[in-house]
Every structure is written in C-alpha cells, then in structure tokens.
Amino acid sequence: MKRHTTNYINTFIEVAEDCPVSQAQIPPEKKEKTLATLQYEKISKNPYLYSSDDIIFECFAIKNDISEHEKQEEREKFFSKGQACLRSSPLAKRYGFGFHHNLEGKVALFPIESEEYQDFLNDTSIKKTKAMRSKRK
C-alpha cells in the first residue's frame, strides 16, 4: 500500500497571505474541540515532539473516536490517501501561527509577532512556504 506523508524537513510554514490577524490568537474554546484547538494544544504543549503526520492523524483519531487498539490500522488507511498538510491548518490560515519543522521533521508553533518567527523568515538555511489562502485571489 502506498504511504503518503504531510511531513516537512527543515521548513517554515508562514501564515497565509490573507490571514486576518497581525498577532497570533489562541483558537476560541467551543463546546466540542475544533481542529484548530486540537492542533494548538498538541503542538504548543509539546514543541518538536511530533511530526506533521502524528498531529494530523491524532486530531483525526480524536475527532473520529478511534480507539487505541485501532489506531495503527486506521493510520495506515488514513495515509494510503493523500492528506492536507499543516499548510491548510486554521492555525496558519486564520490564527496567526507559523509552523517550524526541524531537521527531524518535528513541529513547533510560533506566533506571527514573535522574534523567533522573524528569525525563521530571515534564516536562509530554512525552506519557506506559505500557508494556503482562505480566499481565491
């Protein structure tokens, strides 16, 4: 079975061109946790612990009530098709966070107004890509 991946190596995902905020916002609490909230909690509490694939699948598993013993099989099925990467995350499109993927492919979040965010933009040794726009041009 073909295995797709959403992982990046040594890459910084900048906020989307049409991101509506100039300072990062924590996704608002709702009765049921949104994808943005799940991703935010996972990454902000554990910087550089998870790969993009880990985060995307974990959030899918939570949203779809996948039990621990089903996870391995479901993960294989999930990644047998291409999946949207973190460039499509509401954190980068709407809430003003950039994602840094280190050399091991592990991810951390950086608010758009932070010094680290600017450092990544100015670092020529890191690949950069923008999050997807919310609206077509």
Side-chain angles (χ1 to χ4, degrees), residues 1-136:
M1 189 180 333
K2 182 161 172 35
R3 190 168 177 341
H4 295 267
T5 184
T6 64
N7 293 340
Y8 284 92
I9 305 289
N10 195 32
T11 301
F12 187 64
I13 298 176
E14 301 170 41
V15 300
E17 260 173 59
D18 61 350
C19 179
V21 299
S22 56
Q23 279 200 309
Q25 299 173 337
I26 294 171
E29 285 293 316
K30 299 216 164 102
K31 212 166 69 176
E32 196 159 307
K33 287 189 176 185
T34 63
L35 183 61
T37 301
L38 291 170
Q39 289 178 346
Y40 178 80
E41 287 176 355
K42 267 253 176 276
I43 304 169
S44 65
K45 290 179 182 154
N46 306 287
Y48 298 118
L49 182 65
Y50 299 111
S51 69
S52 174
D53 282 357
D54 295 338
I55 290 154
I56 287 169
F57 180 73
E58 246 342 277
C59 294
F60 170 83
I62 292 166
K63 284 257 187 226
N64 292 281
D65 267 336
I66 295 170
S67 71
E68 271 313 309
H69 75 273
E70 295 172 299
K71 272 190 182 168
Q72 194 48 52
E73 188 183 323
E74 288 299 323
R75 186 175 169 126
E76 311 241 326
K77 253 193 264 177
F78 184 76
F79 285 112
S80 69
K81 297 191 245 355
Q83 298 296 334
C85 68
L86 290 173
R87 287 185 55 225
S88 68
S89 167
L91 293 175
K93 288 172 68 169
R94 159 78 190 84
Y95 294 107
F97 288 95
F99 295 101
H100 177 242
H101 300 256
N102 68 12
L103 292 167
E104 285 86 57
K106 306 294 187 194
V107 177
L109 268 180
F110 294 90
I112 190 171
E113 72 278 8
S114 70
E115 224 172 278
E116 294 97 333
Y117 187 98
Q118 286 310 310
D119 292 345
F120 286 123
L121 291 184
N122 297 325
D123 186 336
T124 54
S125 70
I126 297 173
K127 285 186 248 125
K128 286 154 214 70
T129 184
K130 283 196 186 303
M132 293 170 182
R133 296 171 54 86
S134 297
K135 297 173 186 74
R136 289 172 183 245

